[in-house]
Short mmCIF file of all heavy atoms in Angstrom, two decimals:
data_model
loop_
_atom_site.label_atom_id
_atom_site.label_comp_id
_atom_site.label_asym_id
_atom_site.label_seq_id
_atom_site.Cartn_x
_atom_site.Cartn_y
_atom_site.Cartn_z
N ALA O 34 7.14 -7.99 -1.30
CA ALA O 34 8.46 -8.15 -1.89
C ALA O 34 9.49 -8.32 -0.76
O ALA O 34 9.27 -7.85 0.36
CB ALA O 34 8.83 -6.95 -2.75
N TYR O 36 13.76 -7.92 0.03
CA TYR O 36 15.02 -7.33 -0.41
C TYR O 36 16.14 -7.80 0.49
O TYR O 36 15.94 -8.06 1.69
CB TYR O 36 14.97 -5.80 -0.34
CG TYR O 36 13.88 -5.17 -1.17
CD1 TYR O 36 12.60 -5.02 -0.66
CD2 TYR O 36 14.13 -4.72 -2.47
CE1 TYR O 36 11.58 -4.44 -1.42
CE2 TYR O 36 13.13 -4.14 -3.23
CZ TYR O 36 11.86 -4.01 -2.69
OH TYR O 36 10.86 -3.44 -3.45
N GLN O 38 19.99 -6.53 1.77
CA GLN O 38 20.90 -5.40 1.82
C GLN O 38 22.17 -5.78 2.55
O GLN O 38 22.12 -6.23 3.71
CB GLN O 38 20.26 -4.18 2.48
CG GLN O 38 21.14 -2.94 2.38
CD GLN O 38 20.51 -1.71 3.01
OE1 GLN O 38 19.78 -1.80 3.99
NE2 GLN O 38 20.80 -0.54 2.44
N GLY O 41 26.80 -1.04 3.38
CA GLY O 41 27.31 -0.08 2.41
C GLY O 41 26.74 -0.19 1.03
O GLY O 41 27.19 0.52 0.11
N GLN O 42 25.75 -1.06 0.85
CA GLN O 42 25.15 -1.25 -0.47
C GLN O 42 23.67 -0.89 -0.45
O GLN O 42 23.04 -0.87 0.60
CB GLN O 42 25.31 -2.70 -0.94
CG GLN O 42 26.76 -3.12 -1.13
CD GLN O 42 26.86 -4.53 -1.71
OE1 GLN O 42 25.89 -5.09 -2.25
NE2 GLN O 42 28.05 -5.11 -1.63
N ALA O 43 23.14 -0.65 -1.65
CA ALA O 43 21.71 -0.46 -1.79
C ALA O 43 21.01 -1.81 -1.65
O ALA O 43 21.62 -2.86 -1.87
CB ALA O 43 21.40 0.16 -3.15
N PRO O 44 19.74 -1.78 -1.30
CA PRO O 44 18.98 -3.04 -1.28
C PRO O 44 18.90 -3.65 -2.67
O PRO O 44 19.01 -2.95 -3.69
CB PRO O 44 17.59 -2.59 -0.79
CG PRO O 44 17.84 -1.33 -0.05
CD PRO O 44 18.95 -0.65 -0.80
N ARG O 45 18.67 -4.96 -2.68
CA ARG O 45 18.53 -5.71 -3.93
C ARG O 45 17.24 -6.49 -3.86
O ARG O 45 16.98 -7.18 -2.86
CB ARG O 45 19.72 -6.65 -4.10
CG ARG O 45 19.58 -7.70 -5.19
CD ARG O 45 20.61 -8.81 -5.00
NE ARG O 45 20.35 -9.93 -5.87
CZ ARG O 45 20.89 -11.14 -5.72
NH1 ARG O 45 21.73 -11.36 -4.72
NH2 ARG O 45 20.62 -12.12 -6.55
N LEU O 46 16.42 -6.39 -4.90
CA LEU O 46 15.15 -7.12 -4.95
C LEU O 46 15.41 -8.61 -5.10
O LEU O 46 16.13 -9.03 -6.01
CB LEU O 46 14.31 -6.61 -6.11
CG LEU O 46 12.98 -7.32 -6.36
CD1 LEU O 46 12.02 -7.11 -5.18
CD2 LEU O 46 12.35 -6.83 -7.67
N TYR O 49 9.19 -11.05 -5.36
CA TYR O 49 7.98 -10.23 -5.42
C TYR O 49 6.79 -11.15 -5.60
O TYR O 49 6.95 -12.34 -5.89
CB TYR O 49 8.06 -9.17 -6.52
CG TYR O 49 8.18 -9.73 -7.92
CD1 TYR O 49 7.05 -9.92 -8.71
CD2 TYR O 49 9.42 -10.06 -8.46
CE1 TYR O 49 7.15 -10.43 -9.99
CE2 TYR O 49 9.54 -10.58 -9.73
CZ TYR O 49 8.40 -10.76 -10.49
OH TYR O 49 8.51 -11.27 -11.76
N TYR O 87 14.65 -7.29 4.17
CA TYR O 87 13.46 -6.48 4.41
C TYR O 87 12.30 -7.00 3.59
O TYR O 87 12.46 -7.36 2.42
CB TYR O 87 13.69 -5.02 4.00
CG TYR O 87 14.74 -4.30 4.82
CD1 TYR O 87 16.06 -4.22 4.39
CD2 TYR O 87 14.40 -3.66 6.02
CE1 TYR O 87 17.02 -3.55 5.13
CE2 TYR O 87 15.35 -2.98 6.76
CZ TYR O 87 16.67 -2.94 6.32
OH TYR O 87 17.61 -2.27 7.06
N GLN O 89 8.41 -5.82 2.11
CA GLN O 89 7.70 -4.60 1.74
C GLN O 89 6.33 -4.97 1.20
O GLN O 89 6.22 -5.92 0.41
CB GLN O 89 8.46 -3.83 0.65
CG GLN O 89 7.76 -2.58 0.15
CD GLN O 89 7.82 -2.40 -1.36
OE1 GLN O 89 8.74 -2.87 -2.03
NE2 GLN O 89 6.85 -1.70 -1.91
N TYR O 91 3.00 -3.79 -1.05
CA TYR O 91 2.60 -2.82 -2.07
C TYR O 91 1.13 -3.00 -2.45
O TYR O 91 0.71 -2.62 -3.54
CB TYR O 91 3.52 -2.92 -3.30
CG TYR O 91 3.70 -4.29 -3.90
CD1 TYR O 91 2.92 -4.72 -4.97
CD2 TYR O 91 4.68 -5.16 -3.41
CE1 TYR O 91 3.10 -5.97 -5.52
CE2 TYR O 91 4.87 -6.41 -3.96
CZ TYR O 91 4.08 -6.82 -5.01
OH TYR O 91 4.27 -8.06 -5.56
N TRP O 94 -1.40 1.49 -0.77
CA TRP O 94 -0.45 2.60 -0.68
C TRP O 94 -1.03 3.82 -1.38
O TRP O 94 -1.97 3.71 -2.16
CB TRP O 94 0.89 2.19 -1.33
CG TRP O 94 0.83 2.03 -2.80
CD1 TRP O 94 0.18 1.04 -3.51
CD2 TRP O 94 1.43 2.89 -3.78
NE1 TRP O 94 0.36 1.24 -4.85
CE2 TRP O 94 1.12 2.37 -5.05
CE3 TRP O 94 2.20 4.05 -3.68
CZ2 TRP O 94 1.56 2.98 -6.22
CZ3 TRP O 94 2.64 4.65 -4.86
CH2 TRP O 94 2.31 4.11 -6.11
N PRO O 95 -0.53 5.05 -1.16
CA PRO O 95 0.59 5.32 -0.24
C PRO O 95 0.15 5.23 1.21
O PRO O 95 -1.04 5.40 1.49
CB PRO O 95 0.96 6.77 -0.60
CG PRO O 95 -0.29 7.36 -1.16
CD PRO O 95 -1.01 6.27 -1.84
N PRO O 96 1.06 4.96 2.14
CA PRO O 96 2.48 4.78 1.86
C PRO O 96 2.85 3.33 1.56
O PRO O 96 2.19 2.40 2.03
CB PRO O 96 3.13 5.22 3.17
CG PRO O 96 2.13 4.78 4.21
CD PRO O 96 0.78 4.97 3.59
N LEU O 97 3.89 3.15 0.78
CA LEU O 97 4.54 1.85 0.69
C LEU O 97 5.30 1.64 2.00
O LEU O 97 5.94 2.57 2.48
CB LEU O 97 5.51 1.84 -0.50
CG LEU O 97 4.83 1.98 -1.87
CD1 LEU O 97 5.86 2.38 -2.92
CD2 LEU O 97 4.11 0.70 -2.25
N PHE O 99 7.80 -0.86 4.65
CA PHE O 99 8.77 -1.91 4.84
C PHE O 99 8.69 -2.45 6.27
O PHE O 99 8.31 -1.71 7.20
CB PHE O 99 10.19 -1.38 4.63
CG PHE O 99 10.52 -0.97 3.23
CD1 PHE O 99 10.30 0.34 2.81
CD2 PHE O 99 11.08 -1.86 2.34
CE1 PHE O 99 10.62 0.74 1.52
CE2 PHE O 99 11.42 -1.48 1.05
CZ PHE O 99 11.18 -0.17 0.64
N GLY O 100 9.12 -3.69 6.44
CA GLY O 100 9.37 -4.20 7.77
C GLY O 100 10.66 -3.63 8.30
O GLY O 100 11.44 -2.99 7.57
N GLY O 101 10.92 -3.87 9.58
CA GLY O 101 12.09 -3.32 10.23
C GLY O 101 13.39 -4.05 9.90
O GLY O 101 14.47 -3.57 10.26
N ASN C 35 10.87 6.53 -7.55
CA ASN C 35 10.66 6.74 -6.12
C ASN C 35 11.93 7.23 -5.43
O ASN C 35 13.04 7.05 -5.94
CB ASN C 35 10.28 5.41 -5.45
CG ASN C 35 9.04 4.79 -6.04
OD1 ASN C 35 7.95 4.96 -5.52
ND2 ASN C 35 9.20 4.02 -7.11
N VAL C 37 13.59 6.59 -1.61
CA VAL C 37 13.54 5.79 -0.38
C VAL C 37 14.74 6.22 0.46
O VAL C 37 15.83 6.42 -0.08
CB VAL C 37 13.64 4.28 -0.69
CG1 VAL C 37 13.65 3.46 0.60
CG2 VAL C 37 12.49 3.84 -1.60
N GLN C 39 17.13 5.92 4.26
CA GLN C 39 17.54 5.02 5.34
C GLN C 39 18.38 5.82 6.33
O GLN C 39 19.51 6.22 6.01
CB GLN C 39 18.33 3.85 4.76
CG GLN C 39 18.71 2.79 5.78
CD GLN C 39 19.27 1.54 5.12
OE1 GLN C 39 19.99 1.60 4.13
NE2 GLN C 39 18.93 0.38 5.66
N LYS C 43 19.36 2.30 10.61
CA LYS C 43 17.93 2.02 10.66
C LYS C 43 17.45 1.32 9.39
O LYS C 43 18.23 1.00 8.50
CB LYS C 43 17.15 3.33 10.86
CG LYS C 43 17.54 4.09 12.11
CD LYS C 43 17.26 3.32 13.38
CE LYS C 43 17.58 4.14 14.61
NZ LYS C 43 17.36 3.36 15.88
N GLY C 44 16.14 1.11 9.32
CA GLY C 44 15.54 0.43 8.18
C GLY C 44 15.20 1.38 7.05
O GLY C 44 15.54 2.56 7.04
N LEU C 45 14.48 0.83 6.07
CA LEU C 45 14.12 1.56 4.87
C LEU C 45 12.80 2.29 5.05
O LEU C 45 11.87 1.75 5.65
CB LEU C 45 14.02 0.59 3.70
CG LEU C 45 15.29 -0.21 3.39
CD1 LEU C 45 14.97 -1.32 2.39
CD2 LEU C 45 16.37 0.69 2.85
N GLU C 46 12.72 3.49 4.51
CA GLU C 46 11.50 4.28 4.56
C GLU C 46 11.22 4.85 3.18
O GLU C 46 11.99 5.66 2.67
CB GLU C 46 11.61 5.42 5.57
CG GLU C 46 10.35 6.29 5.65
CD GLU C 46 10.52 7.54 6.50
OE1 GLU C 46 11.67 7.92 6.80
OE2 GLU C 46 9.49 8.14 6.85
N TRP C 47 10.11 4.44 2.58
CA TRP C 47 9.67 5.06 1.32
C TRP C 47 9.20 6.47 1.61
O TRP C 47 8.48 6.71 2.58
CB TRP C 47 8.53 4.25 0.72
CG TRP C 47 7.87 4.93 -0.43
CD1 TRP C 47 8.26 4.92 -1.74
CD2 TRP C 47 6.70 5.75 -0.37
NE1 TRP C 47 7.40 5.68 -2.50
CE2 TRP C 47 6.43 6.20 -1.68
CE3 TRP C 47 5.84 6.16 0.66
CZ2 TRP C 47 5.36 7.03 -1.98
CZ3 TRP C 47 4.78 6.98 0.37
CH2 TRP C 47 4.54 7.41 -0.94
N TYR C 50 6.94 9.14 -4.55
CA TYR C 50 6.73 8.46 -5.83
C TYR C 50 6.32 9.49 -6.87
O TYR C 50 5.60 10.45 -6.55
CB TYR C 50 5.61 7.43 -5.67
CG TYR C 50 4.92 6.99 -6.94
CD1 TYR C 50 5.31 5.84 -7.61
CD2 TYR C 50 3.84 7.72 -7.47
CE1 TYR C 50 4.67 5.42 -8.77
CE2 TYR C 50 3.20 7.30 -8.63
CZ TYR C 50 3.61 6.15 -9.26
OH TYR C 50 2.97 5.74 -10.41
N TYR C 59 3.14 11.09 -4.92
CA TYR C 59 2.73 10.72 -3.57
C TYR C 59 3.89 10.96 -2.61
O TYR C 59 5.06 10.88 -3.00
CB TYR C 59 2.33 9.24 -3.49
CG TYR C 59 1.16 8.84 -4.34
CD1 TYR C 59 1.27 7.81 -5.28
CD2 TYR C 59 -0.08 9.46 -4.21
CE1 TYR C 59 0.20 7.42 -6.06
CE2 TYR C 59 -1.16 9.09 -4.99
CZ TYR C 59 -1.02 8.06 -5.91
OH TYR C 59 -2.08 7.69 -6.68
N TYR C 95 18.00 7.11 -1.46
CA TYR C 95 18.12 6.30 -2.66
C TYR C 95 17.02 6.67 -3.66
O TYR C 95 15.85 6.84 -3.26
CB TYR C 95 17.93 4.82 -2.34
CG TYR C 95 18.96 4.20 -1.43
CD1 TYR C 95 18.67 3.98 -0.08
CD2 TYR C 95 20.19 3.78 -1.91
CE1 TYR C 95 19.60 3.38 0.77
CE2 TYR C 95 21.13 3.18 -1.08
CZ TYR C 95 20.81 2.99 0.25
OH TYR C 95 21.73 2.38 1.09
N TRP C 100 9.34 -1.68 -10.28
CA TRP C 100 9.50 -2.90 -11.08
C TRP C 100 8.65 -2.79 -12.33
O TRP C 100 7.49 -2.35 -12.27
CB TRP C 100 9.07 -4.09 -10.26
CG TRP C 100 9.10 -5.40 -10.99
CD1 TRP C 100 10.14 -6.28 -11.06
CD2 TRP C 100 8.03 -5.98 -11.76
NE1 TRP C 100 9.78 -7.37 -11.82
CE2 TRP C 100 8.50 -7.22 -12.26
CE3 TRP C 100 6.73 -5.58 -12.07
CZ2 TRP C 100 7.72 -8.05 -13.05
CZ3 TRP C 100 5.95 -6.41 -12.86
CH2 TRP C 100 6.46 -7.62 -13.34
N LEU C 111 4.83 -2.36 -11.07
CA LEU C 111 4.35 -2.54 -9.72
C LEU C 111 5.19 -1.67 -8.79
O LEU C 111 6.39 -1.48 -9.05
CB LEU C 111 4.49 -4.00 -9.29
CG LEU C 111 3.57 -5.01 -9.97
CD1 LEU C 111 3.98 -6.44 -9.59
CD2 LEU C 111 2.11 -4.75 -9.60
N PRO C 112 4.60 -1.19 -7.70
CA PRO C 112 5.34 -0.30 -6.79
C PRO C 112 6.26 -1.07 -5.84
O PRO C 112 6.10 -1.05 -4.61
CB PRO C 112 4.23 0.44 -6.04
CG PRO C 112 3.09 -0.51 -6.04
CD PRO C 112 3.17 -1.26 -7.35
N LEU C 113 7.19 -1.80 -6.43
CA LEU C 113 8.29 -2.38 -5.69
C LEU C 113 9.52 -2.03 -6.52
O LEU C 113 9.39 -1.54 -7.63
CB LEU C 113 8.11 -3.90 -5.53
CG LEU C 113 7.86 -4.67 -6.80
CD1 LEU C 113 8.99 -5.65 -7.04
CD2 LEU C 113 6.55 -5.45 -6.67
N PHE C 114 10.70 -2.25 -5.99
CA PHE C 114 11.85 -1.56 -6.55
C PHE C 114 12.89 -2.53 -7.11
O PHE C 114 13.54 -3.24 -6.36
CB PHE C 114 12.46 -0.66 -5.48
CG PHE C 114 11.42 0.13 -4.73
CD1 PHE C 114 11.23 -0.04 -3.38
CD2 PHE C 114 10.60 1.01 -5.41
CE1 PHE C 114 10.26 0.66 -2.70
CE2 PHE C 114 9.62 1.72 -4.74
CZ PHE C 114 9.44 1.55 -3.38
N ASP C 115 13.03 -2.51 -8.44
CA ASP C 115 13.95 -3.46 -9.05
C ASP C 115 15.33 -2.89 -9.31
O ASP C 115 16.29 -3.65 -9.46
CB ASP C 115 13.36 -4.07 -10.33
CG ASP C 115 13.03 -3.05 -11.40
OD1 ASP C 115 13.20 -1.83 -11.17
OD2 ASP C 115 12.58 -3.48 -12.49
N TRP C 117 18.04 0.27 -7.89
CA TRP C 117 18.33 1.28 -6.88
C TRP C 117 19.65 1.97 -7.24
O TRP C 117 20.56 1.35 -7.76
CB TRP C 117 18.52 0.65 -5.51
CG TRP C 117 17.35 -0.10 -4.95
CD1 TRP C 117 16.80 -1.26 -5.44
CD2 TRP C 117 16.63 0.23 -3.77
NE1 TRP C 117 15.76 -1.66 -4.63
CE2 TRP C 117 15.64 -0.77 -3.60
CE3 TRP C 117 16.72 1.26 -2.84
CZ2 TRP C 117 14.75 -0.75 -2.52
CZ3 TRP C 117 15.83 1.27 -1.77
CH2 TRP C 117 14.85 0.28 -1.63
N GLY C 118 19.74 3.25 -6.88
CA GLY C 118 21.04 3.90 -6.93
C GLY C 118 21.86 3.51 -5.71
O GLY C 118 21.40 2.77 -4.84
N ARG C 119 23.07 4.05 -5.62
CA ARG C 119 23.93 3.75 -4.48
C ARG C 119 23.65 4.67 -3.30
O ARG C 119 24.15 4.43 -2.20
CB ARG C 119 25.40 3.87 -4.89
CG ARG C 119 25.78 2.87 -5.97
CD ARG C 119 27.27 2.86 -6.21
NE ARG C 119 27.99 2.31 -5.06
CZ ARG C 119 29.29 2.07 -5.06
NH1 ARG C 119 30.02 2.35 -6.12
NH2 ARG C 119 29.88 1.58 -3.99
#
Side-chain angles (χ1 to χ4, degrees):
Chain O
Y36 301 85
Q38 187 179 33
Q42 296 185 17
R45 168 197 169 196
L46 177 65
Y49 62 95
Y87 295 95
Q89 177 222 333
Y91 53 95
W94 69 290
L97 295 163
F99 293 90
Chain C
N35 301 264
V37 177
Q39 185 170 37
K43 302 297 184 183
L45 301 169
E46 180 189 15
W47 170 84
Y50 159 95
Y59 298 124
Y95 296 102
W100 176 91
L111 290 172
L113 53 117
F114 315 118
D115 60 357
W117 300 66
R119 298 189 68 174

